[in-house]
Amino acid sequence: MKLLNLKRLIGATVATAISASLLAVASPQIASAADDTGNSASTVAIGEPATVTADQLPPRDDPQAVVAYLAELSALRSTGVTGAAANICINSVSLEAVSLGTIVHVYKKSSASEVICNRVAQSVYDNEYKPLVASQYEGNKYRDQLVCHIGFAWGKTPWNLDSWRPDVGYPATVAASCNP
């Protein structure tokens, strides 16, 4: 079982809320433990994948931000730019075959705004990620890993989406540091 220090990852208040929702989602065992700095923190043991329900989906995009994002994306693409160059948040993707499966390495644009990309993360998945990959690298588990990385691992490069990760729903993906 994979244990995660939620308090360290996303803060005590959010960790408590996610821990509570995970009880209903994946029936994890919640315990208290000390992190590597000696602070007490909640840990969650992630169990078997559960059926995805509406409350497990990533947060909805901000509607106003989506309108602005889509307008900017459309304007950029109307100039004739194609592929990843026509994106706002994702610069490129590459695939790496490893013994467990395939890793989709997602590189963000250096000019991408964390605030904007985070507010439209679902739209980034639909409009930037999906056109750059084969359909076998699409689906809930890839979306959840990507949206989690945009929201919680902005400073990491690249964002690695692993084909062997189970589809456990968004809260469990976040609880597992984007790698359930």
Side-chain angles (χ1 to χ4, degrees):
M1 287 195 196
K2 187 170 186 167
L3 294 179
L4 169 71
N5 182 330
L6 288 176
K7 185 175 181 182
R8 234 171 119 187
L9 174 68
I10 54 180
T13 304
V14 176
T16 302
I18 289 176
S19 294
S21 71
L22 284 173
L23 283 173
V25 174
S27 301
Q29 299 172 354
I30 297 180
S32 187
D35 64 17
D36 57 357
T37 62
N39 296 323
S40 178
S42 296
T43 58
V44 176
I46 305 299
E48 293 300 314
T51 303
V52 176
T53 62
D55 65 330
Q56 289 180 272
L57 296 176
R60 292 183 185 262
D61 286 350
D62 177 331
Q64 291 177 324
V66 170
V67 169
Y69 165 80
L70 291 176
E72 185 177 342
L73 195 62
S74 178
L76 178 63
R77 291 178 177 175
S78 71
T79 64
V81 176
T82 60
N87 289 339
I88 294 169
C89 299
I90 295 177
N91 186 52
S92 64
V93 298
S94 64
L95 303 176
E96 178 184 5
V98 296
S99 62
L100 293 172
T102 302
I103 301 172
V104 181
H105 300 291
V106 180
Y107 296 87
K108 67 179 177 285
K109 286 197 169 213
S110 60
S111 61
S113 163
E114 177 180 3
V115 173
I116 291 171
C117 296
N118 191 16
R119 291 176 66 197
V120 298
Q122 296 260 29
S123 295
V124 170
Y125 169 78
D126 289 331
N127 295 289
E128 296 187 34
Y129 172 79
K130 285 173 63 174
L132 296 174
V133 298
S135 62
Q136 70 197 50
Y137 303 112
E138 297 175 7
N140 291 338
K141 69 182 182 179
Y142 291 100
R143 182 204 57 219
D144 291 348
Q145 289 178 69
L146 179 63
V147 172
C148 181
H149 280 87
I150 292 171
F152 297 101
W154 184 259
K156 183 179 181 281
T157 301
W159 297 320
N160 297 318
L161 314 183
D162 303 323
S163 66
W164 61 90
R165 302 291 180 184
D167 182 2
V168 296
Y170 186 70
T173 299
V174 170
S177 299
C178 306
N179 297 305

